[in-house]
Amino acid sequence: MKLRRIFLYVFLSFSILYISVCTYMYIFQRNFLYHPYQNNYLRGEKLNPEVKEVFVPSTEGIILKSWFYKNPKNTYTVLFFHGNAGELGNRIYKLNELKNLNLNYLIISWRGFSGNRGSPTEQGLYSDARSAIDWLEKNNILKNKIILYGESLGTGVAIEVAQNQKFAGIILESPYTSIVDAAKIYYPYLPVDFILKDKYLSLKKIKNITSPVLVMHGGADRIIPIAMGKKLFDEIQSKKYGYFPKFDRHMMTYNFELKTELDKFIKTLN
């Protein structure tokens, strides 16, 4: 009888602790997914002086701080959706290379990032992305001249808004099958399927992409395993290209090889 009481006490204690942990993670989960103040990739590069700071209106009265570069001689404009951490300056080294590839670009900062009002959510980021597309179209840049570039978390946004649309192309850097799958790697003890609010179900949506796609993923990525990028690549039904270097990490190295792959992909676009 005493042993049964001890067992019941231990069981109840662990149950209460587990429920408390699940409740805490449910309430504060977005603090673990979005990191607007974590600037890990500031490298001291200077932004091209021809870039203009613009403010893209989104939903809920939110205005998105953005950078826009345009050379009338360039054919395509990249709409850059950044990842889950840091301000726009973390991507300067990539933006400078896009300019060198004769690409125009618009990079938006998400709601809650770079001093923008609001808090990031899955649906909020989708609204921000669609607002950026509308902004480009109002500036006479049509979808068939827009290349969507998703970086990490931004790949899920790019896939969402690209569904059943005809963009010039889609570039996915370090993509995931879903945030559900990624969360299970980090929190295998949690009922992720039930408590996760922002799921970004990229694998489910990728078959709806009709534009050409370039998937880039490094074999040494310790944040999102390359297997996810390859699984997405296998499910793409449209014209597709892959770049899977063995030693690149999550933020891929913008070396000669990667830039060559980007240039090759751009040259295949109509």
Side-chain angles (χ1 to χ4, degrees), residues 14-262:
F14 274 105
S15 297
I16 292 170
L17 176 62
Y18 183 70
I19 292 171
S20 298
V21 170
C22 290
T23 302
Y24 176 85
M25 292 299 292
Y26 177 78
I27 295 172
F28 296 104
Q29 60 181 273
R30 287 185 172 127
N31 293 337
F32 293 88
L33 179 57
Y34 305 103
H35 305 282
Y37 307 109
Q38 184 177 331
N39 295 295
N40 293 335
Y41 300 99
L42 292 172
R43 303 186 181 186
E45 290 95 335
K46 293 185 178 180
L47 187 65
N48 169 25
E50 298 173 67
V51 173
K52 295 180 180 179
E53 183 174 84
V54 298
F55 294 90
V56 175
S58 187
T59 57
E60 302 173 54
I62 293 171
I63 307 296
L64 308 175
K65 178 181 176 181
S66 310
W67 290 342
F68 182 51
Y69 167 73
K70 183 177 181 181
N71 181 337
K73 296 180 180 179
N74 295 340
T75 302
Y76 297 109
T77 297
V78 171
L79 177 51
F80 196 104
F81 300 140
H82 69 71
N84 71 330
E87 62 185 50
L88 294 180
N90 288 268
R91 284 86 195 177
I92 288 177
Y93 71 100
K94 297 182 181 181
L95 300 176
N96 287 341
E97 294 300 343
L98 295 180
K99 174 186 177 295
N100 292 338
L101 289 168
N102 298 318
L103 293 167
N104 300 328
Y105 62 78
L106 172 68
I107 179 171
I108 61 170
S109 52
W110 303 120
R111 57 186 62 203
F113 286 72
S114 296
N116 295 336
R117 291 173 50 200
S119 299
T121 65
E122 179 178 4
Q123 294 304 319
L125 267 59
Y126 293 162
S127 294
D128 292 347
R130 292 189 174 101
S131 297
I133 295 168
D134 291 343
W135 188 90
L136 286 174
E137 291 188 309
K138 287 176 182 177
N139 282 272
N140 301 314
I141 302 172
L142 302 180
K143 288 188 178 74
N144 63 357
K145 299 300 180 184
I146 297 173
I147 301 171
L148 300 182
Y149 188 130
E151 168 201 272
S152 188
L153 181 73
T155 62
V157 182
I159 291 170
E160 163 68 21
V161 300
Q163 293 180 96
N164 304 309
Q165 300 288 330
K166 197 60 182 177
F167 289 93
I170 317 293
I171 299 171
L172 305 175
E173 179 187 351
S174 306
Y176 47 86
T177 50
S178 71
I179 293 298
V180 179
D181 295 336
K184 287 178 179 178
I185 297 173
Y186 293 96
Y187 307 103
Y189 51 88
L190 292 177
V192 171
D193 292 286
F194 299 102
I195 69 173
L196 195 63
K197 297 176 184 178
D198 297 345
K199 298 186 176 182
Y200 296 93
L201 303 174
S202 294
L203 186 63
K204 182 179 178 180
K205 303 170 184 176
I206 196 71
K207 293 180 182 179
N208 300 327
I209 302 298
T210 59
S211 309
V213 183
L214 169 63
V215 178
M216 309 190 299
H217 209 138
D221 189 338
R222 296 181 181 178
I223 297 175
I224 301 296
I226 191 174
M228 286 194 184
K230 289 185 173 181
K231 191 171 184 179
L232 271 178
F233 180 81
D234 290 341
E235 294 297 320
I236 295 170
Q237 304 297 307
S238 60
K239 197 172 183 180
K240 60 185 177 181
Y241 306 84
Y243 174 61
F244 302 103
K246 185 175 181 180
F247 299 108
D248 272 32
R249 297 189 178 184
H250 189 60
M251 289 296 100
M252 300 184 71
T253 305
Y254 262 58
N255 54 19
F256 176 78
E257 288 77 14
L258 185 145
K259 288 182 284 186
T260 298
E261 292 299 322
L262 285 174

